[in-house]
Amino acid sequence: LILALGLLVVVHEFGHYFFARLFGIKVEKFYLFFNPWFSLVKWKPREPKRRKLDKNGRPKASWRDTEYGIGWVPLGGYCKIAGMIDESMDKEQMAREPQPDEFRSRPAWQRLLVMIGGVLFNFILAIIIYAGIAWKWGADVLPFGSVTEGFNYSTEAKAYGYHDGDRILAVDGVDFSTRNIDDLYAVADAKQVTVIRGNDTIIIDNPANFVTMLPNGLFDKDAPFRYPAYADQVSLGSPAHHAGLIEGDRFVAINDVATPTFDDVKATIAANDGREMKVTVERGDSLVNLAITPSGGTIGFVTRNPLKIYNVEHINYNLLQAFPKGVSDGCTKMTTYVKSLKHLFSKKGAQSVGGFGAIGEMFPSKWNWLTFWELCAFLSVILAFMNILPIPALDGGHVMFVLYEIITRRKPSEKFLERAQMVGMCLLLALLLFANGNDIYRMIFK
């Protein structure tokens, strides 16, 4: 979590730094994490013997003007740009006459690019990471329609009308048979979901804010989809081996009761422990009956991986193909995240807001590079969008005031900007306390 946030914060602040330096604006500090009272690490480059001068004979701003460091409060980071009203609230500097190398002395279009630099770099980072994931690991594609035995649903989803075995056919009238099963948000966010249940077509009406009612997701976490039982391996000396079960056999029925899924086979075997069963399997084009007596609730076979049964298509990408894939994934994640924010304004949605604890729970207990990079990319998308919101103290607040200046040709007073910054910081602090308070509440009472 710390490594991921550290990477995202550095990239975000470097976006501001890059455009500031591009336009010759002085950057006084560049910090990962905040450093009230002291810093864990800080470094200030030595002054050169000779400084480059601008056309008026003044020393030009340089990367050597910046103090680089790591703070001790891991709540983000900052890039202190000279002549800008930010979280440092440096009123003493703002009281002096504007200098040519300060932010406030630059034209509005330059200030606008400096302010959107962090958001832009975060989104570019997400695209690069998604492209890297596609290049390194490729992508597995499994359409909803390929899961012929349907899905296992979470307890919460079952309470609202879903049944284990339901096959998703359409979402709000749009055919979903060819859509990738990773697109679960669209199912949970829909008003109506059409499923096939046995031989019937059923329409399920999702309640309002259904997404917020699914803390464990739409599908069962341990076994999201159902699949037929094939004997992939048969243990030597096991009841199945003695009865003549061979690799490749597909279980069709036990004691003349159909067993279309592995869950059915597993439950029936456990229920008949110690009793001889009539097991019907499909072998090639024929049906074969076997007499098997379970021992200890098992008969001694390993079922085939469902990803092999449903022929998941693995797509490999070369470097040139990976970048369009990265752009597509980045835009899709951004769109899905923006759509999900509407649920925050419901009671359930507000209760689901989380802080660092909730983000930390997204990471696995054991290191996994693929998961790490997927979460880094997703968090980078979130950081980009949250920062562009038009809230004072966020990048979007500064952008809002610059756009106001461009449109009206009237610049807000520095006193107004200082007060807006204070209001924004109070709002952000309240949100931070609320989100992390939710984490503590869930940890104690749930």
Side-chain angles (χ1 to χ4, degrees), residues 22 45 52 102 130 155 191 195 240 269 300 310 337 418 422:
L22 180 66
K52 292 182 179 180
E102 289 186 345
Y130 281 128
T155 303
K191 293 180 179 179
V195 302
I269 291 173
Y310 288 134
Y337 181 71
E418 287 178 5
M422 289 297 296

Side-chain angles (χ1 to χ4, degrees), residues 104-321:
R104 54 183 167 167
S105 300
R106 295 309 167 106
W109 69 270
Q110 290 187 4
R111 285 183 277 124
L112 181 63
L113 286 174
V114 170
M115 293 320 307
I116 67 173
V119 169
L120 180 63
F121 271 49
N122 270 135
F123 191 64
I124 291 173
L125 174 65
I127 289 173
I128 291 173
I129 293 176
Y130 281 128
I133 290 172
W135 185 38
K136 170 67 176 177
W137 287 282
D140 291 326
V141 178
L142 178 60
F144 280 97
S146 296
V147 185
T148 56
E149 301 302 328
F151 298 88
N152 290 319
Y153 294 86
S154 64
T155 303
E156 295 82 7
K158 290 178 185 176
Y160 289 96
Y162 291 85
H163 291 189
D164 286 342
D166 284 354
R167 289 178 286 151
I168 295 172
L169 179 64
V171 173
D172 285 334
V174 178
D175 179 30
F176 250 56
S177 60
T178 59
R179 295 281 287 270
N180 193 339
I181 65 168
D182 288 337
D183 196 7
L184 286 179
Y185 177 82
V187 180
D189 192 45
K191 293 180 179 179
Q192 287 189 333
V193 177
T194 305
V195 302
I196 298 176
R197 185 177 297 163
N199 295 320
D200 300 321
T201 300
I202 307 292
I203 294 178
I204 300 174
D205 293 314
N206 286 343
N209 300 312
F210 187 43
V211 171
T212 65
M213 302 173 188
L214 301 171
N216 297 310
L218 184 70
F219 295 156
D220 183 278
K221 278 189 174 182
D222 297 323
F225 42 79
R226 298 159 69 86
Y227 52 94
Y230 285 86
D232 207 42
Q233 297 177 16
V234 179
S235 303
L236 293 175
S238 67
H241 177 250
H242 289 305
L245 187 74
I246 64 174
E247 294 178 10
D249 283 351
R250 175 182 177 176
F251 288 78
V252 175
I254 296 178
N255 292 335
D256 295 322
V257 177
T259 54
T261 71
F262 174 67
D263 291 336
D264 298 321
V265 172
K266 186 178 178 181
T268 306
I269 291 173
N272 286 277
D273 190 28
R275 296 193 297 270
E276 185 177 277
M277 307 180 306
K278 175 188 172 184
V279 179
T280 304
V281 297
E282 185 180 77
R283 184 177 296 169
D285 297 326
S286 304
L287 293 179
V288 178
N289 291 319
L290 305 172
I292 307 177
T293 303
S295 175
T298 65
I299 60 175
F301 79 98
V302 176
T303 189
R304 184 175 297 173
N305 188 320
L307 298 182
K308 294 181 180 179
I309 296 173
Y310 288 134
N311 296 319
V312 175
E313 182 183 2
H314 183 78
I315 303 175
N316 291 310
Y317 297 87
N318 61 35
L319 191 57
L320 291 178
Q321 295 168 330

Side-chain angles (χ1 to χ4, degrees), residues 32-51:
L32 169 63
F33 306 147
F34 294 107
N35 62 323
W37 302 300
F38 68 93
S39 306
L40 295 179
V41 176
K42 67 178 180 179
W43 173 67
K44 180 73 181 293
R46 288 183 179 179
E47 282 288 329
K49 292 181 179 180
R50 293 183 180 179
R51 293 290 295 264

Side-chain angles (χ1 to χ4, degrees), residues 5-63:
L5 293 180
L7 170 64
L8 302 185
V9 168
V10 167
V11 170
H12 180 89
E13 299 304 332
F14 183 73
H16 297 307
Y17 179 91
F18 173 82
F19 281 104
R21 292 297 310 116
L22 180 66
F23 300 131
I25 301 171
K26 182 179 180 180
V27 179
E28 297 176 346
K29 290 185 178 182
F30 185 99
Y31 264 76
L32 169 63
F33 306 147
F34 294 107
N35 62 323
W37 302 300
F38 68 93
S39 306
L40 295 179
V41 176
K42 67 178 180 179
W43 173 67
K44 180 73 181 293
R46 288 183 179 179
E47 282 288 329
K49 292 181 179 180
R50 293 183 180 179
R51 293 290 295 264
K52 292 182 179 180
L53 304 178
D54 62 18
K55 59 183 180 181
N56 296 315
R58 300 187 184 94
K60 282 186 175 182
S62 164
W63 68 275

Side-chain angles (χ1 to χ4, degrees), residues 325-345:
K325 171 66 173 172
V327 173
S328 174
D329 287 352
C331 292
T332 300
K333 292 291 184 182
M334 177 68 82
T335 302
T336 300
Y337 181 71
V338 172
K339 287 181 178 179
S340 71
L341 289 180
K342 65 184 179 183
H343 300 292
L344 290 179
F345 300 99

